Amino acid sequence: MSALALVSAALGAWALVAPFVFPWDVCPWVWVAGIIPGILVLVLNGVFFLRPQKNLAWLCWLSAALGVWLIVSPFIAGYAIVPDVVWANFLPGALIAILGVVTGYMALKAE
């Protein structure tokens, strides 16, 4: 369970640095679309990694929601025409969402 949170934290770090790796100058929403969600995923999963408890399962569910936001943000912000931006958000977003649901479920079932 903790290892999954660590993987999600690493994916959050990628979402944080992706705008600096790819040419996101076409996106004025870069802070809302990638950087802020990346920071939040990194922090939420870092906290859960350090203190994996049943009462902190909400961190995982919030992380999953941020993963979904990373998936849809290129389409909402109107820069879905830039393939690098879409893939830099979609892949980590999908993995963060899946890992958030799995980790949250495992945290709830833990005794």
Side-chain angles (χ1 to χ4, degrees):
M1 181 166 50
S2 293
L4 296 178
L6 190 61
V7 171
S8 289
L11 290 167
W14 169 251
L16 170 64
V17 300
F20 302 105
V21 174
F22 295 107
W24 281 36
D25 51 350
V26 296
C27 174
W29 284 46
V30 69
W31 292 98
V32 176
I35 295 173
I36 293 173
I39 291 170
L40 290 173
V41 168
L42 180 62
V43 170
L44 292 174
N45 285 287
V47 169
F48 189 77
F49 174 75
L50 295 174
R51 299 182 53 110
Q53 299 172 2
K54 185 176 182 175
N55 62 349
L56 292 179
W58 66 272
L59 295 173
C60 302
W61 300 114
L62 185 55
S63 179
L66 288 166
V68 172
W69 170 252
L70 284 169
I71 293 170
V72 300
S73 64
F75 303 98
I76 292 174
Y79 58 92
I81 58 172
V82 184
D84 289 341
V85 174
V86 173
W87 285 109
N89 269 18
F90 182 82
L91 290 176
L95 291 172
I96 289 168
I98 291 168
L99 291 173
V101 169
V102 169
T103 309
Y105 179 76
M106 289 171 61
L108 288 177
K109 294 297 177 183
E111 296 181 287

